[in-house]
Amino acid sequence: MRWRDPFQTIRGLLLAGFVVLSVMIVIAGVIGGWSMFATSGVIRNTLDAVQEETRLSSQFASSIAQEVAAARRYLDGRDSTAGQAFTRLGWEAHRIQRAMNDLPSQTMEEIALVAAIDATLSRIEVRYARAHRLADLGRHEIALREAEATAPLVSRLL
């Protein structure tokens, strides 16, 4: 019996085509699986960054609102607890602002926006601190005018 080349028959060609097709399907499956795994990692990292940024933004806004409320409470009743809260919340807001700037995903526009918010917050804090000292000195009308001057800044900030 003489040896026959398997590629000379239809059966051999079909079998060879089936093997090549099977190998290609396996390769495509491996590439597709790897691609989905890599995409999943990118999506997970992006989602983590967005969640962290959202958490910090929420804390930042909350700290600012609480700080302004504490500043107003101090003016209204010279409550030393409110004065301490004003100081503590101010430091907390500035700490959160620094943490936001340290996020690796921040763009230059976002950093500039957070810096502008922080600068506005600093102006509000200076005005309220001045109002607090004026109130401590018994100059209530001037203190209230100083505090009221922060209203446009606070509304724009919040």
Side-chain angles (χ1 to χ4, degrees):
M1 181 169 214
R2 185 175 125 206
W3 180 79
R4 255 180 164 180
D5 186 6
F7 296 110
Q8 295 297 322
T9 66
I10 291 177
R11 183 177 185 191
L13 287 173
L14 286 174
L15 185 60
F18 178 72
V19 168
V20 169
L21 187 61
S22 296
V23 169
M24 289 175 67
I25 287 174
V26 168
I27 291 171
V30 168
I31 290 172
W34 176 80
S35 175
M36 289 177 64
F37 181 76
T39 301
S40 171
V42 169
I43 289 171
R44 188 179 319 106
N45 290 341
T46 303
L47 182 59
D48 288 346
V50 168
Q51 286 176 333
E52 179 66 9
E53 188 173 334
T54 301
R55 184 185 67 79
L56 287 172
S57 295
S58 175
Q59 284 181 343
F60 193 43
S62 176
S63 291
I64 291 170
Q66 290 176 15
E67 180 184 9
V68 169
R72 191 64 197 192
R73 276 195 320 274
Y74 181 83
L75 264 185
D76 292 341
R78 309 297 174 282
D79 178 16
S80 63
T81 305
Q84 292 169 352
F86 170 69
T87 302
R88 179 180 50 78
L89 289 164
W91 284 111
E92 179 69 12
H94 292 289
R95 182 196 63 77
I96 294 168
Q97 179 264 334
R98 285 188 304 277
M100 289 174 77
N101 283 340
D102 289 341
L103 290 174
S105 62
Q106 290 290 86
T107 64
M108 292 304 288
E109 293 82 19
E110 290 170 328
I111 291 172
L113 177 63
V114 172
I117 290 170
D118 190 56
T120 302
L121 176 61
S122 294
R123 286 198 302 271
I124 291 169
E125 289 170 339
V126 166
R127 286 236 132 129
Y128 267 117
R130 189 178 308 140
H132 291 170
R133 297 303 74 85
L134 288 167
D136 291 343
L137 293 171
R139 301 171 76 185
H140 303 294
E141 298 242 352
I142 300 170
L144 288 176
R145 279 198 306 262
E146 189 70 33
E148 289 303 318
T150 65
L153 294 172
V154 170
S155 67
R156 190 173 67 215
L157 188 64
L158 295 177

